[in-house]
């Protein structure tokens, strides 16, 4: 497979951003966000139309989208924690590849292949002078498209990316006029003003270190999820019907990580599973679901012994319920909410150095498969090949009932990880990709 870049341009908003909207202040949650780009690739089959017309439609509709979501076309100023909404533009790359989209679906168990369709190296470090958004449209030999997106985590999360893609797709489907307005999608920075805080230090793998790392892609279909739910029931002690499939898979993979440490060290090590939680639906007074920016807290669940899958599921479920209840007690527009969010971050920063940290991020239920640019809906979406030392990233599968998990871990840990009885029982599609 050879991806050939044909052009690189900066796409600017169709209308200039008014001077009154020139400065966009980030929130303190934005300050905490990792200094990386959030990646995603959508694989869209051929619609039997003119590909050049499709590209032109994407460019024109992107200009309209940037008029509404104008901070994306600006540049971040670190010293004053603001985005200069100067309409400098987002990077737009057009490329082509010498295979069909059907062939890439046969390669989808290899996460590293997916990186070829992203405009930036996955989890590239964000620099203040860089574009906040980069897009790569790759044309397959059959006329299908791969739409790769990298959005700076400094100004948005997965929900923000969803809002952007949905709005872009809407403008692509319809010939709609657009006006520059200070609308309701930018409440976050006002609700949670910046405090001069430092971003999280995420544990990235170092490609120059002695230990190599791999990304393993595991698939859990709908049948496997139902069997996992039944196993987690613990004789009726917990109600698994209200438990998300993401929580089930996170518990199962966490158990495997705990088993790795036991196999290597001969005794269980304390570990902590860290999970971001979207706050757009988690307070008394709901924040708009299309609110722009980072809007999440953290749930930290710790374990210092060897536990079975059902026990870890109960532990996660109880902690998740307790934490979300704390958010539900307060409104989004008062001091108590700020305190609850800051406390959730302190739970992470106060984790002892001796504790093994596993990040588990779930993008399940985000409607990426429903994004419709007026062509065909995506056949498949992917995260690509990551570089975390220990992490879990979850996405819906194309059927909607299952989960695709991207698991990052040390190469020497893989044999122990794959020997976990529940991994062998429920997971399929084990494919390693070396860092």
């Amino acid at each position: 497979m050879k991806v050939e870049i044909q052009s690189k341009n900066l796409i600017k908003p169709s209308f200039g951003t008014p001077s009154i909207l020139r400065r966009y202040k980030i929130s303190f949650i934005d300050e905490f966000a990792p200094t990386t780009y959030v990646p995603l690739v959508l694989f869209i089959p051929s619609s039997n139309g003119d590909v050049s017309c499709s590209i032109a439609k994407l460019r024109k509709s992107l200009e309209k989208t940037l008029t509404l979501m104008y901070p994306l076309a600006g540049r971040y100023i670190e010293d004053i924690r603001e985005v200069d909404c100067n309409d400098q533009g987002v990077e737009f790359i057009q490329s082509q590849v010498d295979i069909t989209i059907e062939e890439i679906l046969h390669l989808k168990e290899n996460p590293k292949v997916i990186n070829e369709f992203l405009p930036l190296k996955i989890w590239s470090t964000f620099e203040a002078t860089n574009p906040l958004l980069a897009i790569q449209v790759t044309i397959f030999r059959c006329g299908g498209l791969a739409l790769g997106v990298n959005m700076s985590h400094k100004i948005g999360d997965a929900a923000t990316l969803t809002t952007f893609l949905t709005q872009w797709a809407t403008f692509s489907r319809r010939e709609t006029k657009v006006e520059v307005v200070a609308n309701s999608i930018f409440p976050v920075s006002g609700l949670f003003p910046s405090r001069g805080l430092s971003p999280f230090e995420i544990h990235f793998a170092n490609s120059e270190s002695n230990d190599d790392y791999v990304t393993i892609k595991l698939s859990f279909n709908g049948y496997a999820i139902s069997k996992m739910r039944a196993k987690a029931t613990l004789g009726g002690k917990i109600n698994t019907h209200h438990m998300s499939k993401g929580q089930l898979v996170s518990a199962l993979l966490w158990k495997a990580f705990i088993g790795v440490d036991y196999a290597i060290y001969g005794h269980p090590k304390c570990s902590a599973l860290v999970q971001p939680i979207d706050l757009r639906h988690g307070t008394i007074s709901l924040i708009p679901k299309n609110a722009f920016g980072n809007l999440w807290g953290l749930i930290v669940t710790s374990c210092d012994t060897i536990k079975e899958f059902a026990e870890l599921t109960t532990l996660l479920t109880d902690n998740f319920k307790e934490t979300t209840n704390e958010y539900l007690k307060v409104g989004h527009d008062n001091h108590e909410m700020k305190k609850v969010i800051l406390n959730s971050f302190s739970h992470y920063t106060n984790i002892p150095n001796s504790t093994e940290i596993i990040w588990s991020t779930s993008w399940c239920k985000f409607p990426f498969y429903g994004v419709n640019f007026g062509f065909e809906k995506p056949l498949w979406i992917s995260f690509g090949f990551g570089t975390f030392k220990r992490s879990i990233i979850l996405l819906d599968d194309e059927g909607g009932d299952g989960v695709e998990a991207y698991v990052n871990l040390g190469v020497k840990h893989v044999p122990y990880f794959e020997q976990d009885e529940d991994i062998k029982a429920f997971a399929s599609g084990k494919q390693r990709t070396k860092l």
Side-chain angles (χ1 to χ4, degrees), residues 330-331 334-341:
V330 295
N334 59 41
H335 175 72
E336 285 302 311
M337 172 53 80
K338 299 180 181 67
K339 183 179 178 180
V340 171
I341 296 173

Side-chain angles (χ1 to χ4, degrees), residues 34-43 111-126 132-136 146-154 156-162 164-165 202 204 215 294 361-364 366 368 380-388 391-395 406 408:
T35 55
T36 60
Y37 284 89
V38 180
L40 190 71
V41 185
L42 292 78
F43 292 92
K112 196 169 185 178
V113 172
I114 311 308
N115 290 5
E116 298 296 322
F117 302 100
L118 285 166
L120 300 171
K121 184 179 179 181
I122 194 165
W123 298 118
S124 296
T125 301
F126 170 69
L132 294 167
L133 179 70
I135 294 163
Q136 179 175 327
L147 186 61
V149 181
N150 289 98
M151 185 187 70
S152 171
H153 214 326
K154 182 56 61 180
D157 52 19
T160 304
L161 182 58
T162 303
F164 164 72
L165 289 171
I202 304 298
F204 288 99
T215 297
N294 287 284
T361 302
S362 177
W363 282 19
C364 297
F366 284 113
F368 294 121
W380 182 51
I381 61 172
S382 179
F383 211 87
F385 167 52
T387 54
F388 285 143
S391 70
I392 302 163
I393 302 170
L394 308 179
L395 293 167
Y406 293 77
N408 298 285

Side-chain angles (χ1 to χ4, degrees), residues 280-428:
R280 288 166 177 81
H281 304 284
T283 64
I284 292 175
S285 49
L286 294 182
I287 298 173
K289 67 178 182 179
N290 63 344
F292 186 95
N294 287 284
L295 192 53
W296 42 270
L298 293 177
I299 297 179
V300 179
T301 309
S302 298
C303 177
D304 58 4
T305 60
I306 291 288
K307 289 186 180 294
E308 294 300 319
F309 168 58
E311 294 175 297
L312 285 176
T313 304
T314 303
L315 189 65
L316 276 183
T317 302
D318 290 345
N319 193 35
F320 188 87
K321 184 177 180 180
E322 180 181 343
T323 306
T324 52
N325 283 341
E326 288 297 314
Y327 287 111
L328 288 171
K329 292 176 183 177
V330 295
H332 69 266
D333 54 353
N334 59 41
H335 175 72
E336 285 302 311
M337 172 53 80
K338 299 180 181 67
K339 183 179 178 180
V340 171
I341 296 173
L342 287 169
N343 283 343
S344 80
F345 292 154
S346 69
H347 292 159
Y348 170 77
T349 56
N350 291 333
I351 295 174
N353 292 332
S354 58
T355 298
E356 294 287 350
I357 297 174
I358 300 104
W359 277 82
S360 181
T361 302
S362 177
W363 282 19
C364 297
K365 296 187 178 180
F366 284 113
F368 294 121
Y369 279 100
V371 174
N372 183 359
F373 286 89
F375 316 132
E376 298 287 339
K377 292 184 179 181
L379 281 175
W380 182 51
I381 61 172
S382 179
F383 211 87
F385 167 52
T387 54
F388 285 143
K389 286 187 177 180
R390 281 193 169 193
S391 70
I392 302 163
I393 302 170
L394 308 179
L395 293 167
D396 288 318
D397 66 5
E398 51 265 55
D401 296 327
V403 174
E404 292 187 339
Y406 293 77
V407 183
N408 298 285
L409 71 166
V411 65
K412 66 181 181 181
H413 299 162
V414 172
Y416 304 110
F417 186 88
E418 293 181 339
Q419 284 305 307
D420 180 86
E421 61 179 14
D422 290 315
I423 294 290
K424 292 191 289 186
F426 299 117
S428 60

Side-chain angles (χ1 to χ4, degrees), residues 23-45:
R23 299 297 187 188
Y24 172 77
K25 292 184 177 293
I26 67 170
S27 71
F28 73 73
I29 308 179
D30 294 327
E31 290 179 318
F32 270 126
T35 55
T36 60
Y37 284 89
V38 180
L40 190 71
V41 185
L42 292 78
F43 292 92
I44 303 171

